[in-house]
Amino acid sequence: MTAAVYVAAAFAEIAGCFAFWAVFRLQASPLWLAAGVLSLIVFAWLLTLVDVEAAGRAYAAYGGVYVAASLVWLWTIEGVRPDRWDLTGSAICVAGAAVVLFGPRG
């Protein structure tokens, strides 16, 4: 369930931030901001569902998933294919997230 929550949170955050990008960089209607704020609220709520003992650890692990999801967004929504450096960096981030989330604790 943790992975699904992180993926949903990532796309909610990216969609929320993209709404602001669309308004301020692409001259989209300011009505996009309402959807963006709602999406960011959903993102924050989703992160509270992760079963870890500390918020900071949940956020740190989430970071790797966010990077990977951003590249999926880049390709599927913006039509820009990630290059090998994007993919390598993302793999490093996801590996780091796994260490943070699943590393043995004493």
Side-chain angles (χ1 to χ4, degrees), residues 14-103:
I14 295 164
C17 291
F18 186 77
F20 281 78
W21 179 277
V23 170
F24 295 114
R25 297 285 300 265
L26 304 176
Q27 288 73 50
S29 166
L31 294 175
W32 279 60
L33 296 177
V37 168
L38 180 62
S39 187
L40 291 170
I41 290 168
V42 169
F43 148 71
W45 169 74
L46 284 167
L47 283 185
T48 69
L49 302 179
V50 176
D51 188 25
V52 295
E53 70 284 350
R57 188 165 289 135
Y59 305 156
Y62 163 73
V65 176
Y66 177 83
V67 171
S70 295
L71 294 180
V72 171
W73 181 278
L74 174 72
W75 196 356
T76 60
I77 304 301
E78 297 183 74
V80 177
R81 186 175 181 167
D83 63 24
R84 67 180 180 195
W85 299 109
D86 294 325
L87 298 175
T88 301
S90 178
I92 291 167
C93 291
V94 170
V99 170
V100 169
L101 194 59
F102 302 117

